[in-house]
Amino acid sequence: MGSKNIKRQKYSREQQRRFTAMLLIIPSIIFLVGLIAYPLVKVVIDSFRLVNLTNVAVSGFAGFENYVKVLTNEHFQKALSNTVIWTLLSVIGEFIFGMITAVALNNQVKGVGFFRSLIIIPFVVPVVVAGLTWEWMLSPDFGIINYLFEKIGLISESVNWLGEKETALLTVTFVNIWRSFPFYTVTLLAALQSIPHDIIEAAAVDGANAPKRFMKIIFPQLKSVSMVLIGMHLIWTSINFDYVWVMTEGGPFYATETLPVQIYRYAMKQYDVGAASALSTMMIGLMTIGFVTYFYIKKVRSKSEGIK
């Protein structure tokens, strides 16, 4: 009894609570360090080193050599512009389609539950399956898309949607929008259902028509959810690799090559881990700068609005 009392006096209840909390967060710290921090630091370190997967003799400190190699690559600017186009068009298209379908599915009509279940199907289809299916549907020889477009008079002859430089990137972007917009639909629909109907009905009684009710009442209520969705998808889409690789492998003639595809080529085709790490580090840096700038501007704007 005496020794137990001494231990209780030695550690206060607050100290014991903190010690328990630290024990509980240790697994999370190990997870973050092992699966996120260590690989991230390793990529940054490798970007300044000569690392080759097949030639161990290629090693040592490289300085900025890997960065110069990436920036002077003749396809770098094309890959950068493709990444920007692919990301912006995808996110804009996903948001527009997601918003339209969310508003439509928010109406209480017969069979709405069935359509709400149906809308999620593209999102749960594996990327490889969806990519290969669309590749088959877009085939200039036997694809159903060309067949239907010819039947309704949109085109006079079959188009090689994925084989032409002018159409390949837009086609892959459209397929990406088709698969990803249900995520927006489900998220925005949940946000829509949280808006009190009293406010909307009161606006309708006051004479506000449907477009005005949407722009003045509904859309402002979705602003926070929309910003989170867009921010997440800007990151996910810009680093997306699988769709482009499955459907075109960056072709034809680098017309659909994005920066993630270029990283894959460096690492798994040329086995140049140093260059792949340099390009990865540049992407991380650009995205970090972009998001820090956005949150800084948002913070400054919030402060100025608060002063007013």
Side-chain angles (χ1 to χ4, degrees), residues 143-258:
I144 192 170
I145 301 294
N146 278 310
Y147 173 77
L148 291 175
F149 281 3
E150 283 188 59
K151 281 291 181 186
I152 61 177
L154 282 178
I155 56 176
S156 57
E157 58 183 10
S158 292
V159 177
N160 192 356
W161 301 99
L162 296 173
E164 299 290 339
K165 289 198 295 184
E166 294 78 15
T167 57
L169 183 60
L170 293 178
T171 304
V172 178
T173 303
F174 170 77
V175 176
N176 185 49
I177 292 171
W178 167 83
R179 184 180 181 274
S180 302
F181 86 88
F183 185 81
Y184 284 76
T185 305
V186 173
T187 309
L188 292 171
L189 181 60
L192 280 170
Q193 291 180 343
S194 68
I195 300 174
H197 286 282
D198 314 356
I199 305 175
I200 301 171
E201 289 171 2
V205 171
D206 289 341
N209 56 22
K212 196 170 183 180
R213 291 199 298 273
F214 178 79
M215 294 304 298
K216 297 291 184 182
I217 299 173
I218 298 174
F219 191 68
Q221 299 284 333
L222 301 176
K223 187 177 177 182
S224 300
V225 176
S226 300
M227 294 308 295
V228 172
L229 268 176
I230 291 171
M232 287 167 54
H233 276 260
L234 282 174
I235 297 173
W236 289 351
T237 309
S238 64
I239 61 173
N240 186 293
F241 158 80
D242 37 18
Y243 245 123
V244 177
W245 188 257
V246 166
M247 296 189 71
T248 64
E249 296 188 5
F253 303 107
Y254 301 94
T256 60
E257 181 163 287
T258 57

Side-chain angles (χ1 to χ4, degrees), residues 15-51:
Q15 287 174 322
Q16 290 177 11
R17 191 185 65 79
R18 288 182 180 177
F19 181 72
T20 305
M22 288 180 65
L23 282 178
L24 292 175
I25 65 172
I26 283 176
S28 300
I29 293 174
I30 294 173
F31 175 82
L32 290 173
V33 171
L35 296 182
I36 297 177
Y38 172 73
L40 190 63
V41 172
K42 184 75 167 58
V43 166
V44 176
I45 292 173
D46 283 346
S47 70
F48 294 101
R49 296 181 66 244
L50 296 172
V51 183

Side-chain angles (χ1 to χ4, degrees), residues 35-90:
L35 296 182
I36 297 177
Y38 172 73
L40 190 63
V41 172
K42 184 75 167 58
V43 166
V44 176
I45 292 173
D46 283 346
S47 70
F48 294 101
R49 296 181 66 244
L50 296 172
V51 183
N52 193 290
L53 290 177
T54 57
N55 188 357
V56 293
V58 178
S59 62
F61 183 69
F64 289 96
E65 185 180 327
N66 291 322
Y67 290 89
V68 173
K69 181 189 292 184
V70 168
L71 292 172
T72 55
N73 185 319
E74 59 179 325
H75 303 298
F76 173 74
Q77 289 188 359
K78 180 66 177 172
L80 179 61
S81 65
N82 283 345
T83 305
V84 173
I85 294 169
W86 152 265
T87 302
L88 292 181
L89 288 184
S90 292

Side-chain angles (χ1 to χ4, degrees), residues 121-132 179 243:
I121 289 178
F123 190 68
V124 299
V125 176
V127 172
V128 175
V129 175
L132 292 176
R179 184 180 181 274
Y243 245 123

